[in-house]
Amino acid sequence: MQGTILVIDGVSTNRIILKVQLTAACFQVLQADSLSAAMALMKDNRPDLVLTAMTLPDGDAADVKRALDRVRHGAGVPVIALCPQNDRGTRIMALSAGIDEVLPLPVDDMILQARIRSLLRMRMQDDELHLREEGVAAFSVPLKDTTAAQITQSDATVALVCHDLQTAQKWKSRLSANVDFRLKAYNVDAIQDLMRTPVPDVIVIELNEHSAGMALRLLADLRARISTRDSVVIAVPNPADASIAAEALDRGAHDVLHCGFQVDELTLRITAQLAHQQRAEMIRNTLRDGYRAAMRDPMTGLYNRRYARPFLEQVTQDAQSAGSNFAVMVADLDHFKRINDAYGHPVGDAVLIEAARRLQAELRGCDLLARIGGEEFMLVLPDLHPDEASTVANRLCRAISGSPFVVKGCAQPLEVTISVGAIVAQQGTQPLSADDLFVAADRTLYEAKHAGRNQAAIKGLTQSAAA
Protein backbone atom coordinates (compact mmCIF):
# COMPACT_ATOMS: atom_id res chain seq x y z
CA MET A 1 0.00 0.00 0.00
CA GLN A 2 1.13 3.56 -0.78
CA GLY A 3 -0.39 4.99 2.41
CA THR A 4 -3.54 5.39 4.45
CA ILE A 5 -6.17 7.98 3.58
CA LEU A 6 -9.05 8.91 5.86
CA VAL A 7 -12.18 9.86 3.91
CA ILE A 8 -14.73 11.94 5.83
CA ASP A 9 -18.12 12.55 4.20
CA GLY A 10 -21.69 12.38 5.47
CA VAL A 11 -22.89 11.08 2.09
CA SER A 12 -22.26 7.34 1.76
CA THR A 13 -22.20 7.33 -2.06
CA ASN A 14 -19.43 9.95 -2.04
CA ARG A 15 -17.37 7.83 0.33
CA ILE A 16 -17.88 4.73 -1.83
CA ILE A 17 -16.82 6.53 -5.02
CA LEU A 18 -13.70 7.91 -3.37
CA LYS A 19 -12.83 4.54 -1.85
CA VAL A 20 -13.02 2.89 -5.28
CA GLN A 21 -10.76 5.56 -6.79
CA LEU A 22 -8.22 5.43 -3.99
CA THR A 23 -8.18 1.65 -3.57
CA ALA A 24 -7.47 1.32 -7.30
CA ALA A 25 -4.39 3.48 -6.70
CA CYS A 26 -3.25 1.10 -3.92
CA PHE A 27 -4.16 3.31 -0.97
CA GLN A 28 -5.65 1.92 2.21
CA VAL A 29 -8.89 3.78 2.89
CA LEU A 30 -10.54 4.53 6.23
CA GLN A 31 -14.06 5.98 6.21
CA ALA A 32 -15.98 8.20 8.58
CA ASP A 33 -19.38 9.86 8.17
CA SER A 34 -18.75 12.72 10.59
CA LEU A 35 -16.04 14.67 12.37
CA SER A 36 -16.69 12.85 15.65
CA ALA A 37 -16.44 9.45 13.93
CA ALA A 38 -13.19 10.52 12.28
CA MET A 39 -11.67 11.55 15.60
CA ALA A 40 -12.67 8.20 17.09
CA LEU A 41 -10.83 6.47 14.25
CA MET A 42 -7.76 8.62 14.89
CA LYS A 43 -7.33 7.08 18.35
CA ASP A 44 -6.17 3.79 16.84
CA ASN A 45 -5.08 4.86 13.37
CA ARG A 46 -2.63 7.32 11.90
CA PRO A 47 -3.67 8.36 8.40
CA ASP A 48 -1.14 9.85 6.03
CA LEU A 49 -3.71 12.20 4.50
CA VAL A 50 -7.30 13.28 5.16
CA LEU A 51 -9.83 13.77 2.37
CA THR A 52 -12.91 15.53 3.72
CA ALA A 53 -16.13 17.03 2.45
CA MET A 54 -16.29 20.78 2.89
CA THR A 55 -19.47 20.42 4.99
CA LEU A 56 -20.08 17.64 7.50
CA PRO A 57 -23.06 16.76 9.74
CA ASP A 58 -21.17 18.07 12.81
CA GLY A 59 -18.77 20.63 11.38
CA ASP A 60 -16.81 21.58 8.30
CA ALA A 61 -13.36 21.12 6.77
CA ALA A 62 -11.86 23.87 8.94
CA ASP A 63 -13.12 22.05 12.04
CA VAL A 64 -11.42 18.89 10.76
CA LYS A 65 -8.12 20.77 10.45
CA ARG A 66 -8.40 22.20 13.96
CA ALA A 67 -9.35 18.83 15.44
CA LEU A 68 -6.38 17.12 13.74
CA ASP A 69 -3.99 19.69 15.17
CA ARG A 70 -5.19 18.78 18.67
CA VAL A 71 -4.58 15.04 18.19
CA ARG A 72 -1.14 13.60 18.96
CA HIS A 73 -0.67 12.01 15.54
CA GLY A 74 -2.82 14.48 13.63
CA ALA A 75 -0.76 17.67 13.54
CA GLY A 76 0.80 18.11 10.13
CA VAL A 77 -1.38 15.53 8.38
CA PRO A 78 -2.27 17.01 4.96
CA VAL A 79 -5.96 17.84 4.41
CA ILE A 80 -7.76 18.04 1.07
CA ALA A 81 -11.27 19.47 1.13
CA LEU A 82 -13.88 18.67 -1.53
CA CYS A 83 -16.57 21.26 -2.22
CA PRO A 84 -19.73 20.88 -4.34
CA GLN A 85 -18.87 23.87 -6.50
CA ASN A 86 -15.67 25.54 -7.59
CA ASP A 87 -16.50 28.50 -5.37
CA ARG A 88 -13.63 30.98 -5.04
CA GLY A 89 -14.79 32.41 -1.72
CA THR A 90 -15.09 28.96 -0.12
CA ARG A 91 -11.67 27.99 -1.46
CA ILE A 92 -10.04 31.11 -0.02
CA MET A 93 -11.72 30.56 3.34
CA ALA A 94 -10.50 26.95 3.48
CA LEU A 95 -6.93 27.83 2.48
CA SER A 96 -6.91 30.58 5.11
CA ALA A 97 -7.83 27.93 7.71
CA GLY A 98 -4.70 25.95 6.87
CA ILE A 99 -6.26 23.36 4.59
CA ASP A 100 -3.73 22.22 2.01
CA GLU A 101 -5.96 21.89 -1.04
CA VAL A 102 -9.54 22.50 -2.14
CA LEU A 103 -10.93 20.54 -5.12
CA PRO A 104 -14.39 20.81 -6.69
CA LEU A 105 -16.84 17.93 -7.03
CA PRO A 106 -17.06 15.80 -9.05
CA VAL A 107 -13.36 15.50 -8.37
CA ASP A 108 -11.03 14.97 -11.32
CA ASP A 109 -9.25 11.69 -10.55
CA MET A 110 -6.05 12.73 -12.32
CA ILE A 111 -5.59 15.94 -10.36
CA LEU A 112 -6.70 14.27 -7.13
CA GLN A 113 -4.12 11.51 -7.45
CA ALA A 114 -1.37 13.98 -8.38
CA ARG A 115 -2.23 16.23 -5.43
CA ILE A 116 -2.23 13.27 -3.05
CA ARG A 117 1.16 12.13 -4.32
CA SER A 118 2.57 15.64 -3.92
CA LEU A 119 1.28 16.11 -0.38
CA LEU A 120 2.43 12.65 0.69
CA ARG A 121 5.94 13.37 -0.60
CA MET A 122 6.06 16.51 1.53
CA ARG A 123 4.66 14.59 4.49
CA MET A 124 7.35 11.91 4.21
CA GLN A 125 10.08 14.54 4.03
CA ASP A 126 8.70 16.18 7.17
CA ASP A 127 8.52 12.84 8.99
CA GLU A 128 12.14 12.07 8.09
CA LEU A 129 13.25 15.45 9.43
CA HIS A 130 11.34 14.96 12.68
CA LEU A 131 12.76 11.45 13.13
CA ARG A 132 16.28 12.81 12.73
CA GLU A 133 15.45 15.62 15.14
CA GLU A 134 14.29 13.12 17.74
CA GLY A 135 17.43 11.04 17.16
CA VAL A 136 19.68 14.03 17.76
CA ALA A 137 17.75 14.93 20.91
CA ALA A 138 18.53 11.49 22.30
CA PHE A 139 22.29 12.12 22.49
CA SER A 140 22.67 15.86 22.21
CA VAL A 141 21.90 19.12 23.96
CA PRO A 142 18.23 20.18 24.18
CA LEU A 143 17.01 21.39 20.81
CA LYS A 144 15.35 24.69 20.13
CA ASP A 145 11.57 24.87 20.06
CA THR A 146 10.74 25.22 16.38
CA THR A 147 7.02 25.75 16.99
CA ALA A 148 7.56 28.80 19.17
CA ALA A 149 9.62 30.74 16.66
CA GLN A 150 8.00 33.66 14.91
CA ILE A 151 8.18 33.19 11.15
CA THR A 152 8.82 36.39 9.22
CA GLN A 153 8.41 36.48 5.47
CA SER A 154 8.88 40.13 4.55
CA ASP A 155 12.39 39.45 3.25
CA ALA A 156 11.33 36.57 1.00
CA THR A 157 12.01 36.93 -2.72
CA VAL A 158 9.36 35.71 -5.16
CA ALA A 159 10.19 35.22 -8.85
CA LEU A 160 7.30 35.38 -11.33
CA VAL A 161 8.21 33.42 -14.46
CA CYS A 162 5.84 33.79 -17.41
CA HIS A 163 5.74 33.05 -21.13
CA ASP A 164 6.56 36.70 -21.78
CA LEU A 165 7.96 39.47 -19.62
CA GLN A 166 4.86 41.63 -20.09
CA THR A 167 2.65 39.05 -18.35
CA ALA A 168 5.21 38.63 -15.57
CA GLN A 169 5.26 42.40 -15.00
CA LYS A 170 1.45 42.45 -14.93
CA TRP A 171 1.40 39.68 -12.30
CA LYS A 172 4.03 41.56 -10.31
CA SER A 173 1.95 44.74 -10.36
CA ARG A 174 -1.21 42.96 -9.20
CA LEU A 175 0.56 40.96 -6.51
CA SER A 176 2.57 43.89 -5.12
CA ALA A 177 -0.59 45.51 -3.73
CA ASN A 178 -1.22 42.45 -1.50
CA VAL A 179 2.19 41.33 -0.27
CA ASP A 180 5.45 42.58 1.20
CA PHE A 181 7.56 40.06 -0.71
CA ARG A 182 10.34 41.25 -2.97
CA LEU A 183 8.95 40.50 -6.42
CA LYS A 184 10.97 39.90 -9.58
CA ALA A 185 9.65 39.32 -13.10
CA TYR A 186 11.23 36.95 -15.64
CA ASN A 187 10.29 35.34 -18.90
CA VAL A 188 10.58 31.60 -19.21
CA ASP A 189 13.85 31.82 -21.17
CA ALA A 190 15.72 33.69 -18.43
CA ILE A 191 16.97 30.57 -16.64
CA GLN A 192 20.49 31.94 -16.10
CA ASP A 193 19.17 35.07 -14.40
CA LEU A 194 16.77 33.00 -12.32
CA MET A 195 19.53 30.77 -10.97
CA ARG A 196 21.91 33.57 -10.15
CA THR A 197 22.78 33.72 -6.44
CA PRO A 198 20.91 34.50 -4.28
CA VAL A 199 18.17 32.36 -5.78
CA PRO A 200 14.51 33.25 -5.08
CA ASP A 201 12.74 31.73 -2.10
CA VAL A 202 9.63 31.13 -4.22
CA ILE A 203 9.38 30.62 -7.97
CA VAL A 204 5.94 30.98 -9.56
CA ILE A 205 5.85 29.50 -13.07
CA GLU A 206 3.13 30.15 -15.65
CA LEU A 207 2.15 27.11 -17.70
CA ASN A 208 0.28 28.41 -20.72
CA GLU A 209 -0.61 26.78 -24.02
CA HIS A 210 2.42 28.26 -25.78
CA SER A 211 5.14 27.45 -23.26
CA ALA A 212 3.84 24.63 -21.07
CA GLY A 213 6.46 22.16 -22.29
CA MET A 214 9.36 24.53 -21.73
CA ALA A 215 7.99 25.64 -18.36
CA LEU A 216 7.54 22.05 -17.18
CA ARG A 217 11.13 21.27 -18.14
CA LEU A 218 12.24 24.37 -16.26
CA LEU A 219 10.23 23.25 -13.24
CA ALA A 220 11.90 19.84 -13.20
CA ASP A 221 15.30 21.47 -13.69
CA LEU A 222 14.76 23.83 -10.76
CA ARG A 223 13.81 20.98 -8.45
CA ALA A 224 16.87 18.97 -9.49
CA ARG A 225 19.55 21.66 -9.18
CA ILE A 226 21.42 22.06 -5.88
CA SER A 227 21.09 25.85 -5.97
CA THR A 228 17.29 25.88 -6.32
CA ARG A 229 16.12 22.56 -4.88
CA ASP A 230 15.09 24.25 -1.62
CA SER A 231 13.15 27.01 -3.39
CA VAL A 232 9.37 26.70 -3.33
CA VAL A 233 7.95 26.17 -6.83
CA ILE A 234 4.31 26.99 -7.53
CA ALA A 235 2.81 26.26 -10.94
CA VAL A 236 0.00 28.32 -12.47
CA PRO A 237 -1.76 26.71 -15.47
CA ASN A 238 -3.02 29.68 -17.49
CA PRO A 239 -5.72 29.01 -18.54
CA ALA A 240 -6.70 26.27 -16.07
CA ASP A 241 -5.82 22.78 -17.30
CA ALA A 242 -6.12 19.71 -15.02
CA SER A 243 -3.69 17.56 -17.01
CA ILE A 244 -0.97 20.24 -16.98
CA ALA A 245 -1.57 20.88 -13.28
CA ALA A 246 -1.21 17.17 -12.53
CA GLU A 247 2.00 16.92 -14.53
CA ALA A 248 3.43 19.95 -12.75
CA LEU A 249 2.80 18.31 -9.39
CA ASP A 250 4.38 15.07 -10.51
CA ARG A 251 7.43 16.95 -11.77
CA GLY A 252 7.98 18.38 -8.31
CA ALA A 253 5.91 21.55 -7.96
CA HIS A 254 5.08 22.20 -4.31
CA ASP A 255 1.71 23.70 -5.16
CA VAL A 256 -0.57 24.52 -8.07
CA LEU A 257 -3.24 27.13 -8.72
CA HIS A 258 -5.84 25.03 -10.50
CA CYS A 259 -7.98 27.99 -11.54
CA GLY A 260 -5.28 30.16 -13.03
CA PHE A 261 -3.67 33.31 -11.65
CA GLN A 262 -5.61 34.78 -8.72
CA VAL A 263 -3.91 37.25 -6.43
CA ASP A 264 -5.53 36.37 -3.12
CA GLU A 265 -5.21 32.60 -3.63
CA LEU A 266 -1.60 32.87 -4.79
CA THR A 267 -0.79 35.03 -1.75
CA LEU A 268 -2.22 32.39 0.60
CA ARG A 269 -0.37 29.56 -1.12
CA ILE A 270 2.95 31.43 -1.14
CA THR A 271 2.55 32.29 2.55
CA ALA A 272 1.70 28.70 3.49
CA GLN A 273 4.58 27.24 1.49
CA LEU A 274 7.07 29.74 2.92
CA ALA A 275 5.94 28.90 6.45
CA HIS A 276 6.41 25.20 5.73
CA GLN A 277 9.81 25.84 4.14
CA GLN A 278 11.00 27.96 7.05
CA ARG A 279 9.85 25.43 9.65
CA ALA A 280 11.76 22.73 7.77
CA GLU A 281 14.84 24.96 7.60
CA MET A 282 14.63 25.60 11.34
CA ILE A 283 14.56 21.86 11.96
CA ARG A 284 17.53 21.35 9.61
CA ASN A 285 19.45 24.07 11.46
CA THR A 286 18.57 22.43 14.76
CA LEU A 287 19.80 19.11 13.41
CA ARG A 288 23.07 20.66 12.31
CA ASP A 289 23.49 22.32 15.70
CA GLY A 290 22.63 19.08 17.48
CA TYR A 291 25.04 16.96 15.48
CA ARG A 292 27.73 19.60 15.91
CA ALA A 293 27.16 19.66 19.66
CA ALA A 294 27.31 15.89 19.80
CA MET A 295 30.64 15.80 17.96
CA ARG A 296 32.35 18.85 19.49
CA ASP A 297 33.85 19.68 22.85
CA PRO A 298 31.80 22.66 24.06
CA MET A 299 34.73 24.32 25.86
CA THR A 300 37.49 24.27 23.26
CA GLY A 301 35.40 23.84 20.12
CA LEU A 302 37.55 20.87 19.12
CA TYR A 303 36.09 17.57 17.97
CA ASN A 304 35.54 15.00 20.71
CA ARG A 305 36.21 11.28 21.03
CA ARG A 306 32.88 10.41 19.38
CA TYR A 307 34.06 12.06 16.18
CA ALA A 308 37.78 11.24 16.43
CA ARG A 309 37.43 7.47 16.52
CA PRO A 310 35.53 7.03 13.20
CA PHE A 311 37.79 9.68 11.65
CA LEU A 312 40.82 7.59 12.57
CA GLU A 313 39.17 4.47 11.20
CA GLN A 314 38.57 6.21 7.88
CA VAL A 315 42.14 7.52 7.69
CA THR A 316 43.40 4.00 8.41
CA GLN A 317 41.28 2.52 5.61
CA ASP A 318 42.29 5.26 3.16
CA ALA A 319 45.97 4.78 3.97
CA GLN A 320 45.74 1.04 3.42
CA SER A 321 44.02 1.55 0.06
CA ALA A 322 46.43 4.23 -1.12
CA GLY A 323 49.57 2.75 0.42
CA SER A 324 50.26 6.01 2.27
CA ASN A 325 51.59 6.86 5.73
CA PHE A 326 49.87 8.61 8.60
CA ALA A 327 50.49 9.43 12.27
CA VAL A 328 48.42 9.17 15.43
CA MET A 329 49.42 11.28 18.42
CA VAL A 330 48.18 11.58 21.98
CA ALA A 331 49.18 14.76 23.83
CA ASP A 332 48.72 15.57 27.51
CA LEU A 333 49.34 18.83 29.38
CA ASP A 334 51.95 18.24 32.06
CA HIS A 335 50.99 18.64 35.75
CA PHE A 336 47.63 20.14 34.77
CA LYS A 337 46.07 19.17 38.11
CA ARG A 338 48.45 21.58 39.84
CA ILE A 339 47.00 24.46 37.80
CA ASN A 340 43.45 23.57 38.80
CA ASP A 341 44.41 23.11 42.44
CA ALA A 342 46.42 26.32 42.65
CA TYR A 343 44.28 28.69 40.59
CA GLY A 344 40.86 27.05 40.24
CA HIS A 345 38.98 25.44 37.40
CA PRO A 346 38.15 28.69 35.52
CA VAL A 347 41.88 29.28 35.07
CA GLY A 348 42.36 25.63 34.11
CA ASP A 349 39.62 25.97 31.50
CA ALA A 350 41.28 29.08 30.07
CA VAL A 351 44.56 27.19 29.80
CA LEU A 352 42.84 24.33 27.95
CA ILE A 353 41.22 26.75 25.50
CA GLU A 354 44.52 28.49 24.78
CA ALA A 355 46.36 25.18 24.47
CA ALA A 356 43.78 23.97 21.94
CA ARG A 357 44.22 27.18 19.94
CA ARG A 358 48.02 26.86 19.89
CA LEU A 359 47.96 23.19 18.89
CA GLN A 360 45.42 23.78 16.13
CA ALA A 361 47.55 26.56 14.69
CA GLU A 362 50.38 24.08 14.07
CA LEU A 363 48.30 21.66 12.00
CA ARG A 364 47.25 21.37 8.36
CA GLY A 365 43.66 21.65 7.23
CA CYS A 366 43.40 17.88 6.72
CA ASP A 367 44.65 17.06 10.24
CA LEU A 368 42.36 16.31 13.16
CA LEU A 369 42.78 17.66 16.68
CA ALA A 370 40.31 16.36 19.26
CA ARG A 371 39.95 16.76 22.99
CA ILE A 372 39.42 13.25 24.33
CA GLY A 373 39.69 13.81 28.08
CA GLY A 374 40.33 16.44 30.71
CA GLU A 375 43.71 17.70 29.51
CA GLU A 376 44.32 15.04 26.87
CA PHE A 377 44.26 15.57 23.11
CA MET A 378 44.34 13.21 20.16
CA LEU A 379 45.78 14.09 16.76
CA VAL A 380 45.37 12.24 13.47
CA LEU A 381 47.61 13.38 10.64
CA PRO A 382 46.85 11.73 7.27
CA ASP A 383 49.41 11.32 4.50
CA LEU A 384 52.34 12.27 6.73
CA HIS A 385 55.88 11.15 5.91
CA PRO A 386 57.59 9.37 8.83
CA ASP A 387 60.40 11.97 8.91
CA GLU A 388 57.81 14.73 9.34
CA ALA A 389 56.13 13.15 12.36
CA SER A 390 59.02 13.98 14.72
CA THR A 391 59.14 17.55 13.41
CA VAL A 392 55.39 18.05 13.97
CA ALA A 393 55.40 16.45 17.44
CA ASN A 394 58.30 18.60 18.64
CA ARG A 395 56.70 21.69 17.12
CA LEU A 396 53.56 20.97 19.16
CA CYS A 397 55.67 20.84 22.34
CA ARG A 398 57.28 24.18 21.51
CA ALA A 399 53.90 25.74 20.71
CA ILE A 400 52.84 25.14 24.32
CA SER A 401 56.11 25.74 26.16
CA GLY A 402 57.50 28.47 23.90
CA SER A 403 55.67 31.33 25.62
CA PRO A 404 53.86 31.62 28.97
CA PHE A 405 50.06 31.54 29.16
CA VAL A 406 48.58 34.89 30.09
CA VAL A 407 45.31 34.06 31.82
CA LYS A 408 42.76 36.38 33.35
CA GLY A 409 42.72 35.89 37.11
CA CYS A 410 46.44 35.08 37.38
CA ALA A 411 48.83 37.79 38.47
CA GLN A 412 51.74 36.09 36.71
CA PRO A 413 51.86 34.28 33.34
CA LEU A 414 51.77 30.49 33.65
CA GLU A 415 54.46 28.20 32.37
CA VAL A 416 52.73 25.24 30.69
CA THR A 417 54.26 22.23 28.94
CA ILE A 418 52.92 19.25 27.07
CA SER A 419 54.06 15.70 26.36
CA VAL A 420 53.34 13.96 23.06
CA GLY A 421 53.32 10.30 22.11
CA ALA A 422 53.25 9.55 18.37
CA ILE A 423 52.78 6.38 16.34
CA VAL A 424 53.71 6.49 12.65
CA ALA A 425 51.91 3.98 10.45
CA GLN A 426 54.06 3.29 7.41
CA GLN A 427 53.25 1.58 4.14
CA GLY A 428 53.57 -2.17 4.43
CA THR A 429 53.22 -2.40 8.22
CA GLN A 430 50.59 -4.59 9.79
CA PRO A 431 47.24 -2.72 9.83
CA LEU A 432 45.77 -2.09 13.27
CA SER A 433 42.33 -1.02 14.43
CA ALA A 434 41.58 2.51 15.60
CA ASP A 435 41.53 1.29 19.21
CA ASP A 436 44.91 -0.43 18.83
CA LEU A 437 46.42 2.68 17.28
CA PHE A 438 45.17 4.83 20.12
CA VAL A 439 46.50 2.41 22.74
CA ALA A 440 49.90 2.35 21.02
CA ALA A 441 50.08 6.17 20.90
CA ASP A 442 48.96 6.40 24.53
CA ARG A 443 51.73 4.04 25.63
CA THR A 444 54.24 6.13 23.72
CA LEU A 445 52.93 9.22 25.50
CA TYR A 446 53.76 7.68 28.85
CA GLU A 447 57.29 7.02 27.64
CA ALA A 448 57.57 10.76 27.02
CA LYS A 449 56.17 11.41 30.50
CA HIS A 450 58.59 9.02 32.17
CA ALA A 451 61.52 10.52 30.24
CA GLY A 452 60.93 13.88 31.93
CA ARG A 453 57.85 15.47 30.21
CA ASN A 454 57.82 18.49 27.87
CA GLN A 455 58.98 16.30 25.00
CA ALA A 456 57.77 13.97 22.26
CA ALA A 457 58.29 10.23 21.90
CA ILE A 458 57.96 8.78 18.39
CA LYS A 459 57.58 5.16 17.33
CA GLY A 460 57.08 3.44 14.03
CA LEU A 461 54.10 1.14 13.81
CA THR A 462 55.14 -2.47 14.25
CA GLN A 463 53.31 -5.48 15.58
CA SER A 464 55.03 -5.02 18.93
CA ALA A 465 53.79 -1.43 19.22
CA ALA A 466 50.33 -2.67 20.05
CA ALA A 467 51.42 -5.75 21.93
Side-chain angles (χ1 to χ4, degrees):
M1 289 291 178
Q2 294 189 33
T4 301
I5 297 179
L6 173 59
V7 175
I8 314 173
D9 198 313
V11 181
S12 60
T13 53
N14 290 343
R15 295 197 305 273
I16 293 170
I17 292 171
L18 287 170
K19 181 176 181 179
V20 171
Q21 287 177 279
L22 297 170
T23 303
C26 298
F27 291 106
Q28 180 180 355
V29 179
L30 303 174
Q31 298 184 67
D33 59 6
S34 64
L35 173 57
S36 57
M39 292 303 101
L41 275 174
M42 286 287 295
K43 293 179 180 179
D44 299 316
N45 298 276
R46 186 186 181 188
D48 299 297
L49 183 141
V50 172
L51 194 56
T52 180
M54 185 64 73
T55 303
L56 298 169
D58 55 352
D60 57 20
D63 294 325
V64 171
K65 177 64 177 175
R66 286 190 288 269
L68 285 171
D69 288 342
R70 293 193 295 267
V71 178
R72 180 167 172 263
H73 294 305
V77 173
V79 178
I80 298 177
L82 305 178
C83 58
Q85 297 176 339
N86 194 10
D87 178 73
R88 177 171 167 271
T90 302
R91 191 168 63 253
I92 295 299
M93 188 180 303
L95 292 171
S96 300
I99 291 168
D100 297 275
E101 187 56 276
V102 182
L103 298 174
L105 290 170
V107 64
D108 184 295
D109 185 58
M110 180 170 53
I111 193 65
L112 174 64
Q113 299 285 356
R115 200 67 181 101
I116 289 174
R117 289 191 293 270
S118 172
L119 289 170
L120 289 182
R121 280 196 303 271
M122 293 178 65
R123 174 67 172 171
M124 285 188 288
Q125 291 168 359
D126 288 347
D127 285 347
E128 288 174 1
L129 277 177
H130 285 295
L131 283 173
R132 292 175 186 173
E133 183 184 30
E134 292 170 4
V136 167
F139 65 86
S140 169
V141 295
L143 301 180
K144 293 174 284 188
D145 182 2
T146 57
T147 60
Q150 296 295 316
I151 296 174
T152 59
Q153 302 181 354
S154 58
D155 292 333
T157 300
V158 178
L160 304 168
V161 183
C162 297
H163 170 66
D164 58 83
L165 191 58
Q166 183 179 2
T167 302
Q169 294 286 6
K170 186 184 300 183
W171 285 13
K172 177 181 176 181
S173 177
R174 293 176 59 188
L175 196 58
S176 62
N178 279 45
V179 300
D180 295 327
F181 308 133
R182 290 176 292 181
L183 304 175
K184 296 184 178 181
Y186 300 89
N187 65 41
V188 75
D189 295 322
I191 185 170
Q192 296 298 329
D193 293 336
L194 190 62
M195 294 185 178
R196 188 169 294 142
T197 304
V199 297
D201 300 289
V202 180
I203 303 171
V204 180
I205 301 180
E206 178 195 27
L207 306 175
N208 74 3
E209 53 195 2
H210 302 294
S211 62
M214 182 185 300
L216 286 169
R217 288 192 295 275
L218 172 61
L219 189 158
D221 196 18
L222 291 170
R223 297 292 287 125
R225 288 178 182 263
I226 293 176
S227 59
T228 53
R229 66 184 178 189
D230 291 329
S231 298
V232 172
V233 179
I234 300 176
V236 184
N238 188 31
D241 187 313
S243 63
I244 291 179
E247 186 169 356
L249 289 168
D250 284 336
R251 291 206 185 196
H254 295 85
D255 211 341
V256 165
L257 270 71
H258 305 281
C259 300
F261 181 84
Q262 293 182 5
V263 170
D264 45 4
E265 182 173 345
L266 179 57
T267 300
L268 285 170
R269 291 184 184 272
I270 290 175
T271 302
Q273 289 295 333
L274 276 175
H276 180 274
Q277 179 199 51
Q278 291 172 1
R279 282 192 296 269
E281 183 60 26
M282 290 170 69
I283 293 174
R284 282 192 288 269
N285 288 339
T286 298
L287 286 170
R288 282 191 288 268
D289 292 344
Y291 283 122
R292 189 177 296 114
M295 299 298 178
R296 295 249 184 204
D297 169 47
M299 182 194 302
T300 62
L302 301 178
Y303 286 109
N304 59 20
R305 186 187 294 266
R306 180 184 280 120
Y307 182 90
R309 188 180 184 281
F311 182 90
L312 176 54
E313 289 177 345
Q314 187 62 55
V315 168
T316 302
Q317 293 173 13
D318 292 344
Q320 290 172 4
S321 299
S324 59
N325 310 312
F326 67 96
V328 181
M329 301 183 184
V330 178
D332 187 87
L333 294 178
D334 298 323
H335 301 301
F336 183 73
K337 186 176 183 298
R338 295 179 185 177
I339 297 175
N340 278 335
D341 291 344
Y343 303 101
H345 287 282
V347 170
D349 291 348
V351 168
L352 285 170
I353 292 170
E354 174 61 14
R357 186 195 67 77
R358 294 187 185 190
L359 293 173
Q360 188 71 70
E362 298 298 323
L363 301 178
R364 304 167 299 174
C366 63
D367 299 331
L368 170 76
L369 172 64
R371 182 186 176 205
I372 57 173
E375 65 273 21
E376 194 171 34
F377 301 89
M378 176 178 172
L379 301 93
V380 182
L381 299 91
D383 197 22
L384 188 74
H385 193 275
D387 294 339
E388 297 175 309
S390 178
T391 301
V392 173
N394 286 303
R395 196 170 67 231
L396 294 173
C397 290
R398 290 193 299 271
I400 300 300
S401 63
S403 60
F405 282 53
V406 178
V407 179
K408 184 178 180 181
C410 288
Q412 299 294 327
L414 299 176
E415 299 290 340
V416 183
T417 63
I418 197 169
S419 299
V420 179
I423 288 293
V424 182
Q426 301 180 49
Q427 182 179 358
T429 57
Q430 179 182 353
L432 295 178
S433 69
D435 290 338
D436 290 337
L437 287 165
F438 174 78
V439 169
D442 198 47
R443 287 178 178 171
T444 308
L445 165 67
Y446 278 93
E447 292 184 15
K449 294 276 190 182
H450 293 152
R453 294 183 170 84
N454 190 25
Q455 59 185 285
I458 317 294
K459 278 191 174 182
L461 177 60
T462 63
Q463 187 171 0
S464 62

